[in-house]
Amino acid sequence: MDYSSLLTVVLSAFVVTLATVIVPSPSTMAASRYAVSHGTRAAAACLSGVVILDILVFLALAVGFEPMLFRVGGHRYILPLAAVLLLGAGLFMVIMAPRDAATRLISSRGKERADKEQNLHGPFLAGLLIPLANPGYWIWWTTVGTSFIHAARRWGRLGLTLVLLGFLGGVIGWYIPLLFALRRGRQIFSPRVQQRILMVLGIGMMGFGAHLLWTWLHHGPR
């Protein structure tokens, strides 16, 4: 079995996820507000809720949604839909990178209040519920996320496990520096570095989307 292809799929899942979450979303903005008003622990609880939801959605797709699509033939259209979404998202990141950097989107606003003993159930529940109400969250998972799950199924449980770890690695790889910046009450990167990061990740997403589209056109629906 070609494990080099599995490594490519896992690394792609990591990069695409990182590129997706690094753009400010309702979840990260909520975490930022919790950090300012209640402290870093509340922000961490909020982001933990998002991660738990990601795991649950992944399992639901891997066990139910993706196999159902395969049975009815809908898996043939996952690849082009994911490719178009990645191309569009990547192009948006490249176009908006200068504006995003200028407005310092990847930063915290002010110094947070001191961490203290508090009920973290509210922030954790917010981390679960906010993505549920975000249509973009479901669009990503039912197209891009499902396409990775479909690709990983070739390697069975090992492939699914490693792709899940790739997803989580991309998410946590951004949440940890975000929490660090929120704790210190300052931006993570300078506007110039932000712009470069967003542009590189945007170009990467476009490249991966183009690759998916080329693969679908070259090999045809399966």
Side-chain angles (χ1 to χ4, degrees):
M1 190 170 289
D2 185 8
Y3 288 101
S4 62
S5 297
L6 174 59
L7 179 61
T8 300
V9 172
V10 174
L11 290 177
S12 298
F14 170 81
V15 173
V16 169
T17 303
L18 178 62
T20 302
V21 299
I22 202 172
V23 177
S25 66
S27 298
T28 54
M29 287 188 285
S32 298
R33 287 194 292 270
Y34 274 119
V36 172
S37 60
H38 295 87
T40 309
R41 291 182 60 199
C46 178
L47 295 177
S48 297
V50 180
V51 173
I52 295 298
L53 179 63
D54 285 338
I55 295 174
L56 294 176
V57 171
F58 178 92
L59 294 176
L61 293 175
V63 173
F65 182 72
E66 190 272 337
M68 180 190 70
L69 280 180
F70 188 84
R71 287 196 298 270
V72 301
H75 67 286
R76 301 174 183 175
Y77 307 102
I78 295 175
L79 208 60
L81 286 174
V84 170
L85 181 63
L86 288 173
L87 283 169
L91 180 61
F92 178 80
M93 287 178 67
V94 170
I95 292 174
M96 296 298 293
R99 184 180 304 177
D100 288 349
T103 54
R104 302 186 180 186
L105 289 172
I106 310 174
S107 63
S108 61
R109 297 182 179 179
K111 187 69 175 177
E112 66 165 86
R113 295 180 183 176
D115 284 330
K116 55 186 178 181
E117 293 297 326
Q118 57 185 297
N119 190 331
L120 301 180
H121 294 158
F124 179 79
L125 186 60
L128 288 173
L129 296 179
I130 290 174
L132 289 175
N134 180 13
Y137 181 84
W138 295 110
I139 292 173
W140 191 93
W141 269 112
T142 54
T143 54
V144 179
T146 303
S147 69
F148 278 111
I149 292 172
H150 183 69
R153 195 173 292 281
R154 172 184 171 188
W155 292 274
R157 292 182 179 178
L158 174 64
L160 291 172
T161 300
L162 291 179
V163 165
L164 174 58
L165 292 177
F167 284 147
L168 295 178
V171 171
I172 296 173
W174 173 238
Y175 286 173
I176 289 178
L178 176 63
L179 287 171
F180 177 78
L182 293 173
R183 182 175 183 83
R184 297 181 64 88
R186 66 187 186 187
Q187 65 186 87
I188 302 176
F189 305 114
S190 68
R192 183 183 296 274
V193 174
Q194 289 182 35
Q195 178 180 355
R196 291 176 179 175
I197 290 175
L198 289 172
M199 290 193 70
V200 168
L201 291 175
I203 292 172
M205 289 182 70
M206 291 174 63
F208 187 69
H211 172 71
L212 289 181
L213 191 59
W214 179 87
T215 300
W216 184 74
L217 292 174
H218 182 73
H219 296 287
R222 295 182 178 182

